[in-house]
Amino acid sequence: MVVSRSFADLVGPGRVVVADGAMGTSLMAAGLPAGAAPDTWNLDPAGAAHVRATHRAHRAAGAAILLTNTFGANPVRLRLADGGEAAERAAAICAAGVALARAEADGALVAGSIGPTGVLLEPYGDLGVADATAAFAVQARALAEAGADLAWIETMTDLTEALAALDAVRSVAPDLPIVVTLAFEGARTIMGVAPGDAATRLAARGVAAAGANCGGGYESVERAIAGMRAAVPDLLLVAKANAGMPSAGADGRSTFPGTPADAAAHARRVVGLGASVVGGCCGSTPEHVAAIAGALRAG
Ligand SMILES: [Zn+2]
């Protein structure tokens, strides 16, 4: 089992590290009601057991980085779900999320997940940058105080929002390493951000790593990693792809076409393109993580 004290110890040039798979789709498979905020399960005994089981399975599959179940645990996003009553519990949800991941980490790093607010920022929407930063700061402070090893800002489509989250982390935990990944579909994010531009801007802000997650699946992530590598040759890069693009099953739940073998083939390709960390996003099960770990062990 990999034991590391810090992200810099674990990840570096010439070393490839396995990260975990999906949390949200795992919780949906465990019965999370549609429209409910997955993060709120951190404070529910039965839900927390599912969160821990997912972490445990990812760790057993070979993940050396576990992302907390706190993707949407900022006050702005929590206000959108469950009638909004969870918004005032954002900090408690984040602290519990770190504890649940730590309980199953067994030497793996615990990365505090920070996803988008779910609201468009100005000038496209009504949320001001200062308000977004304040919401992210509530989340980042709770994650840092609970002992997260790093902050993991993910699934961003608007670079302004990604930078607001980065500023929030820096404002409350100046020494915490920060990873930022964006969701690309085809050549850009849905907000029009190109991989090379994102990499250049994020590298200039001193992130520990940048990369691509979720979005359009394996091909989009590979294209993004290639673009980031071309723009910034020495930036550490992270790939956490969806298991392909989902389709709605007969029961209304999303199903993902990507198999563990697909994930393994993707892992080899994306490392060849420059990724140093490979995991999975939506639809990626512990079996996908194990396949990635096996592919990377085999070189
Ligand atoms: Zn995803």
Side-chain angles (χ1 to χ4, degrees):
M1 288 288 171
V2 179
V3 176
S4 261
R5 288 193 312 278
S6 73
F7 188 71
D9 287 343
L10 181 65
V11 180
R15 276 175 281 157
V16 181
V17 172
V18 180
D20 63 4
M23 177 59 76
T25 49
S26 168
L27 299 185
M28 287 174 208
L32 182 79
D39 321 87
T40 59
W41 267 16
N42 293 348
L43 297 179
D44 170 81
H50 288 301
V51 174
R52 272 188 71 158
T54 301
H55 286 316
R56 191 181 315 133
H58 285 146
R59 182 68 180 115
I65 302 173
L66 301 180
L67 272 59
T68 57
N69 181 41
T70 58
F71 177 86
N74 69 74
V76 171
R77 194 181 187 104
L78 288 172
R79 225 168 269 138
L80 302 176
D82 294 340
E85 52 84 30
E88 60 198 47
R89 291 184 288 152
I93 290 169
C94 287
V98 173
L100 293 171
R102 185 68 71 195
E104 301 293 345
D106 184 26
L109 294 183
V110 172
S113 169
I114 298 175
T117 58
V119 177
L120 289 175
L121 267 64
E122 294 173 343
Y124 308 103
D126 295 331
L127 184 65
V129 172
D131 291 333
T133 306
F136 287 130
V138 170
Q139 186 175 14
R141 182 186 300 280
L143 293 169
E145 288 181 354
D149 297 310
L150 66 157
W152 196 286
I153 297 164
E154 58 175 341
T155 324
M156 290 289 173
T157 57
D158 177 355
L159 197 52
T160 301
E161 184 169 14
L163 295 174
L166 188 153
D167 285 340
V169 175
R170 287 259 162 84
S171 72
V172 299
D175 299 326
L176 203 64
I178 303 173
V179 171
V180 181
T181 65
L182 290 88
F184 297 93
E185 295 187 29
R188 293 174 181 265
T189 72
I190 58 169
M191 297 297 286
V193 182
D197 294 338
T200 301
R201 295 279 299 279
L202 293 168
R205 300 294 297 274
V207 295
N213 80 296
C214 209
Y218 300 126
E219 189 186 346
S220 290
V221 166
E222 288 163 25
R223 190 168 174 176
I225 292 297
M228 289 184 159
R229 171 55 70 239
V232 188
D234 60 353
L235 183 61
L236 288 174
L237 297 176
V238 173
K240 260 176 142 271
N242 276 4
M245 293 300 279
S247 55
D251 59 356
R253 294 194 180 279
S254 294
T255 57
F256 291 81
T259 64
D262 293 334
H266 159 74
R268 289 192 200 95
R269 289 194 301 268
V270 82
V271 167
L273 293 168
S276 294
V277 179
V278 185
C281 202
C282 304
S284 301
T285 67
E287 289 72 31
H288 290 77
V289 174
I292 291 167
L296 299 181
R297 260 197 310 273

